[in-house]
PDB file of all heavy atoms in Angstrom:
ATOM      1  N   THR D   1       0.802  -1.219   0.000  1.00 63.00           N
ATOM      2  CA  THR D   1       0.000   0.000   0.000  1.00 63.00           C
ATOM      3  C   THR D   1       0.838   1.274   0.000  1.00 63.00           C
ATOM      4  O   THR D   1       0.306   2.353   0.152  1.00 63.00           O
ATOM      5  CB  THR D   1      -0.909   0.014   1.247  1.00 63.00           C
ATOM      6  OG1 THR D   1      -0.058  -0.025   2.400  1.00 63.00           O
ATOM      7  CG2 THR D   1      -1.815  -1.187   1.292  1.00 63.00           C
ATOM      8  N   GLY D   2       2.148   1.156  -0.139  1.00 75.00           N
ATOM      9  CA  GLY D   2       2.981   2.369  -0.123  1.00 75.00           C
ATOM     10  C   GLY D   2       4.392   2.012   0.309  1.00 75.00           C
ATOM     11  O   GLY D   2       4.794   0.854   0.278  1.00 75.00           O
ATOM     12  N   VAL D   3       5.154   3.027   0.728  1.00 83.00           N
ATOM     13  CA  VAL D   3       6.562   2.800   1.089  1.00 83.00           C
ATOM     14  C   VAL D   3       6.778   3.235   2.530  1.00 83.00           C
ATOM     15  O   VAL D   3       6.252   4.257   2.960  1.00 83.00           O
ATOM     16  CB  VAL D   3       7.493   3.610   0.153  1.00 83.00           C
ATOM     17  CG1 VAL D   3       8.960   3.413   0.530  1.00 83.00           C
ATOM     18  CG2 VAL D   3       7.262   3.199  -1.292  1.00 83.00           C
ATOM     19  N   ARG D   4       7.564   2.442   3.270  1.00 80.00           N
ATOM     20  CA  ARG D   4       7.938   2.853   4.629  1.00 80.00           C
ATOM     21  C   ARG D   4       9.371   3.341   4.589  1.00 80.00           C
ATOM     22  O   ARG D   4      10.247   2.630   4.122  1.00 80.00           O
ATOM     23  CB  ARG D   4       7.834   1.683   5.585  1.00 80.00           C
ATOM     24  CG  ARG D   4       6.433   1.195   5.733  1.00 80.00           C
ATOM     25  CD  ARG D   4       6.368   0.048   6.675  1.00 80.00           C
ATOM     26  NE  ARG D   4       6.500   0.491   8.063  1.00 80.00           N
ATOM     27  CZ  ARG D   4       6.049  -0.223   9.077  1.00 80.00           C
ATOM     28  NH1 ARG D   4       5.477  -1.370   8.862  1.00 80.00           N
ATOM     29  NH2 ARG D   4       6.199   0.202  10.307  1.00 80.00           N
ATOM     30  N   VAL D   5       9.586   4.554   5.078  1.00 88.00           N
ATOM     31  CA  VAL D   5      10.932   5.122   5.124  1.00 88.00           C
ATOM     32  C   VAL D   5      11.335   5.170   6.593  1.00 88.00           C
ATOM     33  O   VAL D   5      10.600   5.709   7.423  1.00 88.00           O
ATOM     34  CB  VAL D   5      10.938   6.546   4.529  1.00 88.00           C
ATOM     35  CG1 VAL D   5      12.330   7.145   4.614  1.00 88.00           C
ATOM     36  CG2 VAL D   5      10.459   6.523   3.087  1.00 88.00           C
ATOM     37  N   LYS D   6      12.500   4.583   6.915  1.00 87.00           N
ATOM     38  CA  LYS D   6      12.962   4.607   8.308  1.00 87.00           C
ATOM     39  C   LYS D   6      14.167   5.529   8.398  1.00 87.00           C
ATOM     40  O   LYS D   6      15.061   5.443   7.558  1.00 87.00           O
ATOM     41  CB  LYS D   6      13.326   3.204   8.774  1.00 87.00           C
ATOM     42  CG  LYS D   6      12.111   2.294   8.773  1.00 87.00           C
ATOM     43  CD  LYS D   6      12.378   0.935   9.339  1.00 87.00           C
ATOM     44  CE  LYS D   6      11.066   0.171   9.386  1.00 87.00           C
ATOM     45  NZ  LYS D   6      11.198  -1.196   9.777  1.00 87.00           N
ATOM     46  N   ALA D   7      14.170   6.386   9.409  1.00 91.00           N
ATOM     47  CA  ALA D   7      15.252   7.368   9.522  1.00 91.00           C
ATOM     48  C   ALA D   7      15.498   7.701  10.993  1.00 91.00           C
ATOM     49  O   ALA D   7      14.646   7.463  11.837  1.00 91.00           O
ATOM     50  CB  ALA D   7      14.864   8.637   8.766  1.00 91.00           C
ATOM     51  N   ASP D   8      16.691   8.252  11.275  1.00 93.00           N
ATOM     52  CA  ASP D   8      16.978   8.807  12.600  1.00 93.00           C
ATOM     53  C   ASP D   8      16.974  10.326  12.467  1.00 93.00           C
ATOM     54  O   ASP D   8      17.743  10.868  11.661  1.00 93.00           O
ATOM     55  CB  ASP D   8      18.369   8.347  13.094  1.00 93.00           C
ATOM     56  CG  ASP D   8      18.351   6.900  13.549  1.00 93.00           C
ATOM     57  OD1 ASP D   8      17.247   6.335  13.637  1.00 93.00           O
ATOM     58  OD2 ASP D   8      19.427   6.324  13.805  1.00 93.00           O
ATOM     59  N   VAL D   9      16.127  11.001  13.237  1.00 92.00           N
ATOM     60  CA  VAL D   9      15.985  12.457  13.112  1.00 92.00           C
ATOM     61  C   VAL D   9      16.007  13.079  14.510  1.00 92.00           C
ATOM     62  O   VAL D   9      15.377  12.554  15.423  1.00 92.00           O
ATOM     63  CB  VAL D   9      14.642  12.828  12.427  1.00 92.00           C
ATOM     64  CG1 VAL D   9      14.632  14.302  12.045  1.00 92.00           C
ATOM     65  CG2 VAL D   9      14.369  11.966  11.209  1.00 92.00           C
ATOM     66  N   PRO D  10      16.728  14.211  14.683  1.00 90.00           N
ATOM     67  CA  PRO D  10      16.702  14.887  15.990  1.00 90.00           C
ATOM     68  C   PRO D  10      15.276  15.328  16.347  1.00 90.00           C
ATOM     69  O   PRO D  10      14.551  15.844  15.493  1.00 90.00           O
ATOM     70  CB  PRO D  10      17.599  16.116  15.778  1.00 90.00           C
ATOM     71  CG  PRO D  10      18.446  15.782  14.597  1.00 90.00           C
ATOM     72  CD  PRO D  10      17.619  14.881  13.730  1.00 90.00           C
ATOM     73  N   LEU D  11      14.901  15.133  17.607  1.00 83.00           N
ATOM     74  CA  LEU D  11      13.545  15.471  18.046  1.00 83.00           C
ATOM     75  C   LEU D  11      13.213  16.944  17.810  1.00 83.00           C
ATOM     76  O   LEU D  11      12.096  17.286  17.446  1.00 83.00           O
ATOM     77  CB  LEU D  11      13.396  15.133  19.539  1.00 83.00           C
ATOM     78  CG  LEU D  11      12.081  15.553  20.198  1.00 83.00           C
ATOM     79  CD1 LEU D  11      10.898  14.853  19.566  1.00 83.00           C
ATOM     80  CD2 LEU D  11      12.094  15.264  21.685  1.00 83.00           C
ATOM     81  N   SER D  12      14.217  17.823  17.995  1.00 84.00           N
ATOM     82  CA  SER D  12      13.930  19.260  17.877  1.00 84.00           C
ATOM     83  C   SER D  12      13.446  19.641  16.478  1.00 84.00           C
ATOM     84  O   SER D  12      12.803  20.662  16.293  1.00 84.00           O
ATOM     85  CB  SER D  12      15.181  20.073  18.221  1.00 84.00           C
ATOM     86  OG  SER D  12      16.235  19.691  17.352  1.00 84.00           O
ATOM     87  N   GLU D  13      13.744  18.794  15.488  1.00 88.00           N
ATOM     88  CA  GLU D  13      13.344  19.109  14.104  1.00 88.00           C
ATOM     89  C   GLU D  13      11.972  18.519  13.764  1.00 88.00           C
ATOM     90  O   GLU D  13      11.486  18.667  12.651  1.00 88.00           O
ATOM     91  CB  GLU D  13      14.376  18.532  13.119  1.00 88.00           C
ATOM     92  CG  GLU D  13      15.799  19.029  13.337  1.00 88.00           C
ATOM     93  CD  GLU D  13      15.991  20.468  12.878  1.00 88.00           C
ATOM     94  OE1 GLU D  13      15.119  20.980  12.149  1.00 88.00           O
ATOM     95  OE2 GLU D  13      17.004  21.076  13.259  1.00 88.00           O
ATOM     96  N   MET D  14      11.368  17.771  14.709  1.00 83.00           N
ATOM     97  CA  MET D  14      10.153  17.025  14.375  1.00 83.00           C
ATOM     98  C   MET D  14       8.859  17.702  14.835  1.00 83.00           C
ATOM     99  O   MET D  14       7.781  17.177  14.627  1.00 83.00           O
ATOM    100  CB  MET D  14      10.220  15.607  14.987  1.00 83.00           C
ATOM    101  CG  MET D  14      11.268  14.708  14.374  1.00 83.00           C
ATOM    102  SD  MET D  14      11.037  14.414  12.608  1.00 83.00           S
ATOM    103  CE  MET D  14       9.604  13.353  12.625  1.00 83.00           C
ATOM    104  N   PHE D  15       8.964  18.888  15.481  1.00 78.00           N
ATOM    105  CA  PHE D  15       7.717  19.534  15.915  1.00 78.00           C
ATOM    106  C   PHE D  15       6.898  19.961  14.708  1.00 78.00           C
ATOM    107  O   PHE D  15       7.432  20.475  13.740  1.00 78.00           O
ATOM    108  CB  PHE D  15       8.006  20.730  16.830  1.00 78.00           C
ATOM    109  CG  PHE D  15       8.503  20.308  18.175  1.00 78.00           C
ATOM    110  CD1 PHE D  15       9.668  20.819  18.702  1.00 78.00           C
ATOM    111  CD2 PHE D  15       7.808  19.356  18.896  1.00 78.00           C
ATOM    112  CE1 PHE D  15      10.130  20.403  19.936  1.00 78.00           C
ATOM    113  CE2 PHE D  15       8.267  18.934  20.142  1.00 78.00           C
ATOM    114  CZ  PHE D  15       9.432  19.458  20.654  1.00 78.00           C
ATOM    115  N   GLY D  16       5.587  19.723  14.797  1.00 78.00           N
ATOM    116  CA  GLY D  16       4.705  20.113  13.694  1.00 78.00           C
ATOM    117  C   GLY D  16       4.870  19.253  12.461  1.00 78.00           C
ATOM    118  O   GLY D  16       4.354  19.573  11.394  1.00 78.00           O
ATOM    119  N   TYR D  17       5.599  18.131  12.589  1.00 85.00           N
ATOM    120  CA  TYR D  17       5.899  17.323  11.395  1.00 85.00           C
ATOM    121  C   TYR D  17       4.648  16.711  10.781  1.00 85.00           C
ATOM    122  O   TYR D  17       4.520  16.650   9.572  1.00 85.00           O
ATOM    123  CB  TYR D  17       6.904  16.219  11.757  1.00 85.00           C
ATOM    124  CG  TYR D  17       7.269  15.335  10.577  1.00 85.00           C
ATOM    125  CD1 TYR D  17       7.943  15.866   9.478  1.00 85.00           C
ATOM    126  CD2 TYR D  17       6.928  13.990  10.540  1.00 85.00           C
ATOM    127  CE1 TYR D  17       8.273  15.072   8.390  1.00 85.00           C
ATOM    128  CE2 TYR D  17       7.250  13.197   9.458  1.00 85.00           C
ATOM    129  CZ  TYR D  17       7.925  13.733   8.388  1.00 85.00           C
ATOM    130  OH  TYR D  17       8.239  12.948   7.305  1.00 85.00           O
ATOM    131  N   ILE D  18       3.702  16.283  11.624  1.00 78.00           N
ATOM    132  CA  ILE D  18       2.545  15.562  11.068  1.00 78.00           C
ATOM    133  C   ILE D  18       1.767  16.449  10.095  1.00 78.00           C
ATOM    134  O   ILE D  18       1.363  16.023   9.026  1.00 78.00           O
ATOM    135  CB  ILE D  18       1.616  14.994  12.174  1.00 78.00           C
ATOM    136  CG1 ILE D  18       0.514  14.120  11.567  1.00 78.00           C
ATOM    137  CG2 ILE D  18       1.012  16.058  13.055  1.00 78.00           C
ATOM    138  CD1 ILE D  18       0.965  12.845  10.945  1.00 78.00           C
ATOM    139  N   GLY D  19       1.629  17.749  10.461  1.00 81.00           N
ATOM    140  CA  GLY D  19       0.907  18.666   9.569  1.00 81.00           C
ATOM    141  C   GLY D  19       1.642  18.806   8.248  1.00 81.00           C
ATOM    142  O   GLY D  19       1.044  18.798   7.169  1.00 81.00           O
ATOM    143  N   HIS D  20       2.973  18.891   8.327  1.00 87.00           N
ATOM    144  CA  HIS D  20       3.799  19.060   7.134  1.00 87.00           C
ATOM    145  C   HIS D  20       3.717  17.814   6.247  1.00 87.00           C
ATOM    146  O   HIS D  20       3.569  17.895   5.030  1.00 87.00           O
ATOM    147  CB  HIS D  20       5.243  19.308   7.578  1.00 87.00           C
ATOM    148  CG  HIS D  20       6.082  19.888   6.504  1.00 87.00           C
ATOM    149  ND1 HIS D  20       5.993  21.211   6.142  1.00 87.00           N
ATOM    150  CD2 HIS D  20       7.004  19.329   5.678  1.00 87.00           C
ATOM    151  CE1 HIS D  20       6.834  21.435   5.136  1.00 87.00           C
ATOM    152  NE2 HIS D  20       7.452  20.303   4.848  1.00 87.00           N
ATOM    153  N   LEU D  21       3.779  16.639   6.921  1.00 88.00           N
ATOM    154  CA  LEU D  21       3.738  15.373   6.172  1.00 88.00           C
ATOM    155  C   LEU D  21       2.397  15.231   5.454  1.00 88.00           C
ATOM    156  O   LEU D  21       2.335  14.803   4.299  1.00 88.00           O
ATOM    157  CB  LEU D  21       3.943  14.203   7.139  1.00 88.00           C
ATOM    158  CG  LEU D  21       3.864  12.805   6.530  1.00 88.00           C
ATOM    159  CD1 LEU D  21       5.037  12.574   5.578  1.00 88.00           C
ATOM    160  CD2 LEU D  21       3.867  11.721   7.598  1.00 88.00           C
ATOM    161  N   ARG D  22       1.331  15.620   6.139  1.00 84.00           N
ATOM    162  CA  ARG D  22       0.012  15.498   5.499  1.00 84.00           C
ATOM    163  C   ARG D  22      -0.081  16.415   4.298  1.00 84.00           C
ATOM    164  O   ARG D  22      -0.723  16.088   3.309  1.00 84.00           O
ATOM    165  CB  ARG D  22      -1.093  15.826   6.504  1.00 84.00           C
ATOM    166  CG  ARG D  22      -1.301  14.693   7.500  1.00 84.00           C
ATOM    167  CD  ARG D  22      -2.382  15.010   8.503  1.00 84.00           C
ATOM    168  NE  ARG D  22      -2.424  13.972   9.529  1.00 84.00           N
ATOM    169  CZ  ARG D  22      -2.824  14.168  10.771  1.00 84.00           C
ATOM    170  NH1 ARG D  22      -3.204  15.360  11.150  1.00 84.00           N
ATOM    171  NH2 ARG D  22      -2.827  13.184  11.640  1.00 84.00           N
ATOM    172  N   THR D  23       0.583  17.576   4.385  1.00 87.00           N
ATOM    173  CA  THR D  23       0.572  18.496   3.236  1.00 87.00           C
ATOM    174  C   THR D  23       1.305  17.866   2.052  1.00 87.00           C
ATOM    175  O   THR D  23       0.802  17.856   0.930  1.00 87.00           O
ATOM    176  CB  THR D  23       1.273  19.828   3.608  1.00 87.00           C
ATOM    177  OG1 THR D  23       0.719  20.279   4.836  1.00 87.00           O
ATOM    178  CG2 THR D  23       1.067  20.867   2.547  1.00 87.00           C
ATOM    179  N   ILE D  24       2.511  17.315   2.311  1.00 88.00           N
ATOM    180  CA  ILE D  24       3.313  16.742   1.210  1.00 88.00           C
ATOM    181  C   ILE D  24       2.573  15.578   0.556  1.00 88.00           C
ATOM    182  O   ILE D  24       2.626  15.390  -0.648  1.00 88.00           O
ATOM    183  CB  ILE D  24       4.665  16.156   1.729  1.00 88.00           C
ATOM    184  CG1 ILE D  24       5.473  17.184   2.487  1.00 88.00           C
ATOM    185  CG2 ILE D  24       5.506  15.617   0.590  1.00 88.00           C
ATOM    186  CD1 ILE D  24       6.780  16.603   3.035  1.00 88.00           C
ATOM    187  N   THR D  25       1.880  14.766   1.373  1.00 86.00           N
ATOM    188  CA  THR D  25       1.315  13.510   0.836  1.00 86.00           C
ATOM    189  C   THR D  25      -0.187  13.624   0.627  1.00 86.00           C
ATOM    190  O   THR D  25      -0.873  12.622   0.551  1.00 86.00           O
ATOM    191  CB  THR D  25       1.577  12.358   1.819  1.00 86.00           C
ATOM    192  OG1 THR D  25       0.995  12.698   3.091  1.00 86.00           O
ATOM    193  CG2 THR D  25       3.062  12.096   2.027  1.00 86.00           C
ATOM    194  N   SER D  26      -0.705  14.828   0.553  1.00 81.00           N
ATOM    195  CA  SER D  26      -2.145  15.126   0.483  1.00 81.00           C
ATOM    196  C   SER D  26      -2.932  14.258   1.460  1.00 81.00           C
ATOM    197  O   SER D  26      -3.898  13.587   1.102  1.00 81.00           O
ATOM    198  CB  SER D  26      -2.705  15.030  -0.946  1.00 81.00           C
ATOM    199  OG  SER D  26      -2.008  14.091  -1.711  1.00 81.00           O
ATOM    200  N   GLY D  27      -2.464  14.261   2.710  1.00 78.00           N
ATOM    201  CA  GLY D  27      -3.229  13.619   3.780  1.00 78.00           C
ATOM    202  C   GLY D  27      -3.056  12.123   3.918  1.00 78.00           C
ATOM    203  O   GLY D  27      -3.670  11.513   4.764  1.00 78.00           O
ATOM    204  N   ARG D  28      -2.227  11.511   3.045  1.00 78.00           N
ATOM    205  CA  ARG D  28      -2.161  10.044   3.112  1.00 78.00           C
ATOM    206  C   ARG D  28      -0.968   9.523   3.902  1.00 78.00           C
ATOM    207  O   ARG D  28      -0.885   8.342   4.193  1.00 78.00           O
ATOM    208  CB  ARG D  28      -2.155   9.463   1.697  1.00 78.00           C
ATOM    209  CG  ARG D  28      -3.487   9.699   1.005  1.00 78.00           C
ATOM    210  CD  ARG D  28      -3.479   9.216  -0.419  1.00 78.00           C
ATOM    211  NE  ARG D  28      -3.147   7.807  -0.511  1.00 78.00           N
ATOM    212  CZ  ARG D  28      -2.722   7.228  -1.623  1.00 78.00           C
ATOM    213  NH1 ARG D  28      -2.556   7.947  -2.712  1.00 78.00           N
ATOM    214  NH2 ARG D  28      -2.447   5.950  -1.648  1.00 78.00           N
ATOM    215  N   GLY D  29      -0.017  10.421   4.224  1.00 80.00           N
ATOM    216  CA  GLY D  29       1.169   9.953   4.957  1.00 80.00           C
ATOM    217  C   GLY D  29       0.895   9.828   6.445  1.00 80.00           C
ATOM    218  O   GLY D  29       0.027  10.506   6.983  1.00 80.00           O
ATOM    219  N   GLN D  30       1.625   8.924   7.090  1.00 76.00           N
ATOM    220  CA  GLN D  30       1.544   8.828   8.546  1.00 76.00           C
ATOM    221  C   GLN D  30       2.940   8.572   9.067  1.00 76.00           C
ATOM    222  O   GLN D  30       3.790   8.115   8.314  1.00 76.00           O
ATOM    223  CB  GLN D  30       0.738   7.611   8.992  1.00 76.00           C
ATOM    224  CG  GLN D  30      -0.673   7.644   8.571  1.00 76.00           C
ATOM    225  CD  GLN D  30      -1.156   6.249   8.351  1.00 76.00           C
ATOM    226  OE1 GLN D  30      -0.426   5.307   8.487  1.00 76.00           O
ATOM    227  NE2 GLN D  30      -2.394   6.129   8.008  1.00 76.00           N
ATOM    228  N   PHE D  31       3.142   8.812  10.354  1.00 77.00           N
ATOM    229  CA  PHE D  31       4.461   8.467  10.880  1.00 77.00           C
ATOM    230  C   PHE D  31       4.331   8.102  12.348  1.00 77.00           C
ATOM    231  O   PHE D  31       3.362   8.452  13.010  1.00 77.00           O
ATOM    232  CB  PHE D  31       5.431   9.631  10.695  1.00 77.00           C
ATOM    233  CG  PHE D  31       5.386  10.662  11.792  1.00 77.00           C
ATOM    234  CD1 PHE D  31       6.417  10.767  12.713  1.00 77.00           C
ATOM    235  CD2 PHE D  31       4.314  11.538  11.903  1.00 77.00           C
ATOM    236  CE1 PHE D  31       6.376  11.709  13.711  1.00 77.00           C
ATOM    237  CE2 PHE D  31       4.270  12.485  12.910  1.00 77.00           C
ATOM    238  CZ  PHE D  31       5.308  12.574  13.814  1.00 77.00           C
ATOM    239  N   SER D  32       5.319   7.337  12.807  1.00 70.00           N
ATOM    240  CA  SER D  32       5.395   7.092  14.249  1.00 70.00           C
ATOM    241  C   SER D  32       6.850   7.321  14.620  1.00 70.00           C
ATOM    242  O   SER D  32       7.729   7.168  13.782  1.00 70.00           O
ATOM    243  CB  SER D  32       4.991   5.658  14.567  1.00 70.00           C
ATOM    244  OG  SER D  32       5.939   4.774  14.009  1.00 70.00           O
ATOM    245  N   MET D  33       7.106   7.720  15.866  1.00 68.00           N
ATOM    246  CA  MET D  33       8.505   7.861  16.249  1.00 68.00           C
ATOM    247  C   MET D  33       8.689   7.504  17.714  1.00 68.00           C
ATOM    248  O   MET D  33       7.779   7.648  18.519  1.00 68.00           O
ATOM    249  CB  MET D  33       9.017   9.274  15.959  1.00 68.00           C
ATOM    250  CG  MET D  33       8.457  10.390  16.771  1.00 68.00           C
ATOM    251  SD  MET D  33       9.253  11.930  16.253  1.00 68.00           S
ATOM    252  CE  MET D  33       8.515  13.093  17.363  1.00 68.00           C
ATOM    253  N   GLU D  34       9.876   6.986  18.025  1.00 65.00           N
ATOM    254  CA  GLU D  34      10.188   6.682  19.418  1.00 65.00           C
ATOM    255  C   GLU D  34      11.640   7.047  19.674  1.00 65.00           C
ATOM    256  O   GLU D  34      12.444   7.118  18.750  1.00 65.00           O
ATOM    257  CB  GLU D  34       9.934   5.208  19.726  1.00 65.00           C
ATOM    258  CG  GLU D  34      10.678   4.256  18.829  1.00 65.00           C
ATOM    259  CD  GLU D  34      10.320   2.800  19.095  1.00 65.00           C
ATOM    260  OE1 GLU D  34       9.799   2.508  20.170  1.00 65.00           O
ATOM    261  OE2 GLU D  34      10.589   1.973  18.217  1.00 65.00           O
ATOM    262  N   PHE D  35      11.986   7.255  20.947  1.00 69.00           N
ATOM    263  CA  PHE D  35      13.338   7.666  21.307  1.00 69.00           C
ATOM    264  C   PHE D  35      14.344   6.579  20.930  1.00 69.00           C
ATOM    265  O   PHE D  35      14.113   5.403  21.125  1.00 69.00           O
ATOM    266  CB  PHE D  35      13.414   7.947  22.809  1.00 69.00           C
ATOM    267  CG  PHE D  35      14.811   8.198  23.288  1.00 69.00           C
ATOM    268  CD1 PHE D  35      15.451   9.392  22.981  1.00 69.00           C
ATOM    269  CD2 PHE D  35      15.515   7.233  23.989  1.00 69.00           C
ATOM    270  CE1 PHE D  35      16.753   9.620  23.397  1.00 69.00           C
ATOM    271  CE2 PHE D  35      16.815   7.452  24.408  1.00 69.00           C
ATOM    272  CZ  PHE D  35      17.434   8.657  24.108  1.00 69.00           C
ATOM    273  N   SER D  36      15.496   6.990  20.354  1.00 76.00           N
ATOM    274  CA  SER D  36      16.514   6.021  19.964  1.00 76.00           C
ATOM    275  C   SER D  36      17.785   6.206  20.818  1.00 76.00           C
ATOM    276  O   SER D  36      18.164   5.334  21.564  1.00 76.00           O
ATOM    277  CB  SER D  36      16.833   6.188  18.479  1.00 76.00           C
ATOM    278  OG  SER D  36      17.940   5.421  18.124  1.00 76.00           O
ATOM    279  N   HIS D  37      18.421   7.369  20.727  1.00 81.00           N
ATOM    280  CA  HIS D  37      19.672   7.573  21.476  1.00 81.00           C
ATOM    281  C   HIS D  37      20.008   9.073  21.518  1.00 81.00           C
ATOM    282  O   HIS D  37      19.332   9.872  20.877  1.00 81.00           O
ATOM    283  CB  HIS D  37      20.829   6.813  20.799  1.00 81.00           C
ATOM    284  CG  HIS D  37      21.050   7.217  19.374  1.00 81.00           C
ATOM    285  ND1 HIS D  37      20.280   6.735  18.337  1.00 81.00           N
ATOM    286  CD2 HIS D  37      21.930   8.075  18.792  1.00 81.00           C
ATOM    287  CE1 HIS D  37      20.684   7.281  17.194  1.00 81.00           C
ATOM    288  NE2 HIS D  37      21.674   8.094  17.443  1.00 81.00           N
TER     289      HIS D  37
END
């Protein structure tokens, strides 16, 4: 049903990301994140 992209990203850069992702993917993108290191 699509592509999963896995990445390591600093938390400080992820605020407001869901709104941005929905804009890029016309509402179809989703993401989950958890603390790594």
Side-chain angles (χ1 to χ4, degrees):
T1 60
V3 179
R4 295 180 75 157
V5 178
K6 296 185 175 174
D8 285 351
V9 192
L11 174 62
S12 58
E13 302 286 345
M14 292 300 288
F15 289 127
Y17 180 64
I18 186 68
H20 197 76
L21 177 67
R22 285 180 187 152
T23 310
I24 304 178
T25 58
S26 30
R28 293 176 57 199
Q30 297 149 358
F31 85 108
S32 66
M33 68 179 182
E34 56 184 341
F35 172 73
S36 171
H37 58 280

